[in-house]
C-alpha cells in the first residue's frame, strides 16, 4: 500500500475499497465466445455457450437510429422468483432506459418459446432465462429472433450469487450488441462528487456507483472535486483539498494503491486521462491565467503544452485516437472551444456565437464534442462536430455542467443543479431525448463514466 504524509484516502479505507472493487470482485470478460475464465480478478466466472454460438448467429439488422424511431419490441419474461425477479428488473430497466427497446413483460418460460403469440404482440425479439443455486448461482439466458424463429444467443453464467446484478448488466450488454451491432454500456460505473451539507459550505466527497445508481460507495472523507475515470483501468484521478495545497491524486480501485501526481508551480485543476491511460492533462492556474500540462502518471514527469500569455486554458479532453485535444480558452476574448495537437502548438478555434463555452469532452466514437454554454443567463448542454459544424443544444437548465460520455458514445452523463433544486447526476441520449436522473443518496456533481468493467 502506498502511503503519503497527507494521504487523502487512509490505508484502511484503501484496503476495504480494494476488496470491494479488486481481485475478489467480478471483472469484465469476453461474453460472446464463452469459456472458463481463471486468474486474478476473474472470480472463477464460468461462461458456457448454450446452443448457437456467437459466430453462428446472424448479424444485427437494426441500427441505433432505426431503434430511436421505432424502439425494438422485446419480450422479457421473469427469470423466476426471488433472485430471478431481481435479475429481470435490472435487465428490463437497462434496456428500457435506453429508449431503444420496448420491453413486453411475460410469464417465466424455458426451452424454445411459442413464437406465434409473440408475433401477434408485434415482438421482434424474445428472451428466455432462469437461475439455479444459492451461494453459487447459474444464470442462463437465450435471445431469440421472433420473426425467424431461431436462437440468436445462448449463454450460462456461473458465479457467486453476490454478482447477480453484474450478470444482469452483462446480459443486457449482450442483448444490446446482438440487436444493434454495437457494444452496450450497462456493465459500467460512474464516478462523481457526492454533495451534502449547507449550500454555502457543502461537503464534496468522491463517490462511485453503478451506471444505474446501485452500489453507491463514498470513497473519501474530505473535500474533492473534478474526478476523471481512466478509459482503460480501474483508476480514478481527482483534485484533493485534503491539505492546504490542492493536489491531483490517482487512486487504483483494484489494488488500493494511491499516489500524488507531484506538485505544480501553481494551482492544479481537474485532470483528464489520455486514451491509453498512461498520462494526464492537468490545467494549472498561475496568476490570472491557466496553462495545460501533460503529466506521465508513472514517472510524474510534466511538460507544459500551452503558452498563451496569461489566457485561461481549462477543461481539456483527448480525441479517442490521442492525436488532438479540445479545451476551453479565453485567448480570443471570451471562453470558446479550441482544438490543438496532443503535443501542443497552434490551436484552431472551434466554437463561435454568443455566450461563453465551458466544460468540454470528446466522444469515444470521435464523432462529437460535448460542451456547456452560458448565454443570456441560460445554461445549455451542447454537442458539435469536431470540425465546428452541426452545433445543437441537448438540454437547458439553471446549471448544467460536467458532461461525460458512456463508453459507446451514445449517452451523456452530466450534472444539473440550482434554481431551487439539489444537485443531481442525469443522463441524456445524444439526440437530446430520454433525459433521466440517476438516483444518488446525496446530491451529485461532476460525473465521469468508466470504461466497460475490465
Amino acid at each position: 500500500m502506498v502511503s503519503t504524509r497527507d494521504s487523502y484516502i487512509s490505508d484502511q479505507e484503501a484496503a476495504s475499497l480494494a476488496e470491494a472493487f479488486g481481485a475478489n470482485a467480478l471483472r469484465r470478460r469476453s461474453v460472446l465466445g464463452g469459456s472458463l475464465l481463471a486468474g486474478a480478478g476473474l472470480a472463477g466466472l464460468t461462461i458456457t455457450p448454450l446452443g448457437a454460438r456467437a459466430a453462428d448467429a446472424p448479424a444485427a439488422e437494426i441500427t441505433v437510429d432505426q431503434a430511436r424511431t421505432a424502439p425494438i419490441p422485446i419480450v422479457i419474461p421473469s427469470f423466476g422468483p426471488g433472485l430471478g425477479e431481481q435479475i429481470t428488473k435490472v435487465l428490463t430497466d437497462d434496456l428500457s432506459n435506453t429508449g431503444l427497446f420496448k420491453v413486453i413483460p411475460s410469464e417465466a418460460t424455458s426451452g424454445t418459446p411459442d413464437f406465434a403469440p409473440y408475433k401477434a404482440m408485434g415482438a421482434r425479439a424474445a428472451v428466455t432465462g432462469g437461475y439455479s443455486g444459492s451461494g453459487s448461482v447459474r444464470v442462463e439466458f437465450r435471445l431469440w429472433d421472433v420473426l425467424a424463429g431461431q436462437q440468436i444467443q445462448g449463454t450460462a453464467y456461473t458465479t457467486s450469487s453476490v454478482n447477480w446484478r453484474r450478470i444482469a448488466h452483462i446480459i443486457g450488454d449482450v442483448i444490446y450488441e446482438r440487436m444493434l451491432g454495437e457494444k452496450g454500456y450497462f456493465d459500467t460505473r460512474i464516478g462523481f462528487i457526492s454533495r451534502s451539507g449547507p449550500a454555502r459550505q457543502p461537503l464534496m466527497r468522491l463517490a462511485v456507483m453503478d451506471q444505474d445508481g446501485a452500489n453507491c460507495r463514498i470513497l473519501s472523507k474530505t473535500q474533492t472535486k473534478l474526478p476523471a475515470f481512466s478509459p482503460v483501468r480501474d483508476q480514478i484521478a481527482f483534485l484533493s483539498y485534503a491539505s492546504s495545497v490542492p493536489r491531483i491524486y490517482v487512486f487504483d480501485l483494484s489494488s488500493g494503491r494511491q499516489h500524488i501526481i507531484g506538485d505544480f508551480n501553481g494551482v492544479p485543476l481537474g485532470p483528464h486521462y489520455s486514451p491509453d491511460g498512461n498520462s494526464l492533462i492537468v490545467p494549472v492556474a498561475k496568476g490570472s491565467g491557466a496553462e495545460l500540462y501533460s503529466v506521465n502518471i508513472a514517472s510524474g514527469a510534466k511538460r507544459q503544452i500551452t503558452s498563451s500569455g496569461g489566457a485561461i486554458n481549462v477543461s481539456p479532453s483527448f480525441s479517442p485516437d490521442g492525436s488532438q485535444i479540445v479545451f476551453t480558452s479565453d485567448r480570443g476574448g471570451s471562453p470558446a472551444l479550441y482544438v490543438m495537437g496532443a503535443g501542443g502548438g497552434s490551436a484552431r478555434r472551434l466554437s463561435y456565437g454568443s455566450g461563453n463555452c465551458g466544460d468540454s469532452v470528446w466522444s469515444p466514437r470521435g464523432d462529437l464534442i460535448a460542451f456547456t454554454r452560458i448565454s443570456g443567463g441560460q445554461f445549455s448542454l451542447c454537442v458539435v462536430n469536431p470540425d465546428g459544424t452541426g452545433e445543437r443544444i441537448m438540454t437547458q437548465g439553471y446549471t448544467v455542467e460536467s458532461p461525460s460520455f458512456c463508453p459507446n458514445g451514445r449517452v451523456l452523463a452530466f450534472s444539473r443543479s440550482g434554481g431551487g433544486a439539489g444537485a443531481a447526476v442525469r443522463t441524456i441520449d445524444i439526440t437530446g431525448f430520454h433525459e433521466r436522473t440517476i438516483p444518488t443518496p446525496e446530491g451529485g456533481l461532476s460525473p465521469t463514466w468508466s470504461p466497460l468493467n475490465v
Side-chain angles (χ1 to χ4, degrees):
M1 194 72 62
V2 175
S3 298
T4 57
R5 185 176 61 183
D6 58 346
S7 183
Y8 180 61
I9 301 174
S10 71
D11 287 348
Q12 182 177 2
E13 288 178 292
S16 65
L17 289 169
E19 181 177 358
F21 292 106
N24 295 323
L26 178 63
R27 306 292 296 281
R28 185 70 180 173
R29 76 290 75 184
S30 172
V31 299
L32 294 180
S35 62
L36 172 64
L37 301 182
L42 295 174
L45 171 66
T46 304
I47 303 174
T48 308
L50 302 174
R53 291 179 63 94
D56 306 319
E61 297 179 356
I62 304 170
T63 67
V64 172
D65 288 339
Q66 289 171 330
R68 284 199 184 102
T69 303
I72 302 169
I74 182 171
V75 177
I76 304 288
S78 170
F79 277 52
L83 187 65
E85 289 291 352
Q86 293 174 295
I87 293 171
T88 305
K89 185 178 188 310
V90 170
L91 175 59
T92 297
D93 288 347
D94 279 348
L95 296 176
S96 297
N97 288 337
T98 66
L100 305 177
F101 295 87
K102 177 184 176 182
V103 175
I104 303 170
S106 173
E107 297 296 325
T109 183
S110 60
T112 303
D114 181 358
F115 294 110
Y118 291 166
K119 289 180 181 179
M121 296 176 188
R124 179 68 183 266
V127 171
T128 57
Y131 82 99
S132 59
S134 54
S136 175
V137 297
R138 175 183 170 93
V139 182
E140 299 183 1
F141 96 101
R142 297 175 192 263
L143 176 63
W144 304 87
D145 183 329
V146 169
L147 301 183
Q150 68 181 75
Q151 180 176 306
I152 301 173
Q153 177 79 27
T155 312
Y157 306 91
T158 304
T159 184
S160 168
S161 60
V162 300
N163 294 321
W164 69 267
R165 181 177 286 274
R166 289 285 309 278
I167 295 300
H169 291 318
I170 290 165
I171 292 172
D173 282 336
V174 174
I175 294 172
Y176 188 104
E177 183 169 359
R178 274 291 175 226
M179 299 303 299
L180 298 171
E182 298 182 1
K183 289 189 178 298
Y185 55 89
F186 307 131
D187 189 22
T188 59
R189 287 164 290 158
I190 293 176
F192 68 103
I193 297 301
S194 184
R195 175 175 174 166
S196 61
R200 293 195 175 187
Q201 291 183 315
L203 178 58
M204 313 277 273
R205 299 181 294 171
L206 182 65
V208 171
M209 62 181 172
D210 293 352
Q211 55 81 24
D212 59 359
N215 296 322
C216 184
R217 293 180 173 91
I218 303 296
L219 306 190
S220 63
K221 294 180 179 178
T222 52
Q223 299 292 90
T224 58
K225 289 185 177 181
L226 303 173
F229 238 119
S230 166
V232 294
R233 301 185 183 95
D234 245 1
Q235 194 177 81
I236 296 180
F238 55 92
L239 182 62
S240 163
Y241 288 82
S243 66
S244 58
V245 179
R247 287 192 166 111
I248 302 294
Y249 277 73
V250 170
F251 184 83
D252 191 294
L253 294 168
S254 298
S255 67
R257 290 194 174 99
Q258 58 183 323
H259 68 277
I260 297 171
I261 302 296
D263 288 318
F264 295 85
N265 183 23
V267 179
L269 304 174
H272 183 83
Y273 277 92
S274 62
D276 63 9
N278 293 329
S279 63
L280 295 168
I281 298 294
V282 179
V284 178
K286 300 179 180 181
S288 60
E291 302 292 356
L292 302 180
Y293 285 75
S294 175
V295 185
N296 183 281
I297 294 175
S299 68
K302 304 174 182 67
R303 181 170 59 88
Q304 185 173 335
I305 60 173
T306 60
S307 182
S308 51
I312 297 174
N313 303 283
V314 292
S315 189
S317 177
F318 280 93
S319 62
D321 64 1
S323 66
Q324 300 179 85
I325 296 171
V326 62
F327 63 102
T328 301
S329 177
D330 66 353
R331 62 184 63 190
S334 61
L337 298 185
Y338 289 81
V339 173
M340 68 177 180
S346 61
R348 166 177 59 91
R349 183 164 177 169
L350 189 69
S351 65
Y352 292 89
S354 62
N356 296 330
C357 294
D359 307 326
S360 58
V361 61
W362 214 308
S363 166
R365 300 170 61 89
D367 58 342
L368 293 172
I369 293 170
F371 66 100
T372 57
R373 186 190 289 276
I374 306 172
S375 179
Q378 181 75 48
F379 291 75
S380 302
L381 174 62
C382 308
V383 293
V384 66
N385 298 328
D387 63 0
T389 64
E391 181 179 327
R392 53 191 169 87
I393 294 174
M394 308 284 291
T395 187
Q396 294 180 311
Y398 183 77
T399 302
V400 292
E401 56 190 353
S402 303
S404 178
F405 282 96
C406 75
N408 74 0
R410 293 294 184 181
V411 179
L412 276 162
F414 66 99
S415 56
R416 184 189 291 279
S417 60
V425 176
R426 298 180 68 84
T427 60
I428 192 168
D429 185 278
I430 58 171
T431 59
F433 292 98
H434 307 296
E435 183 175 339
R436 55 183 295 271
T437 298
I438 300 178
T440 55
E442 301 173 339
L445 294 168
S446 302
T448 173
W449 217 310
S450 81
L452 283 170
N453 285 316
V454 295

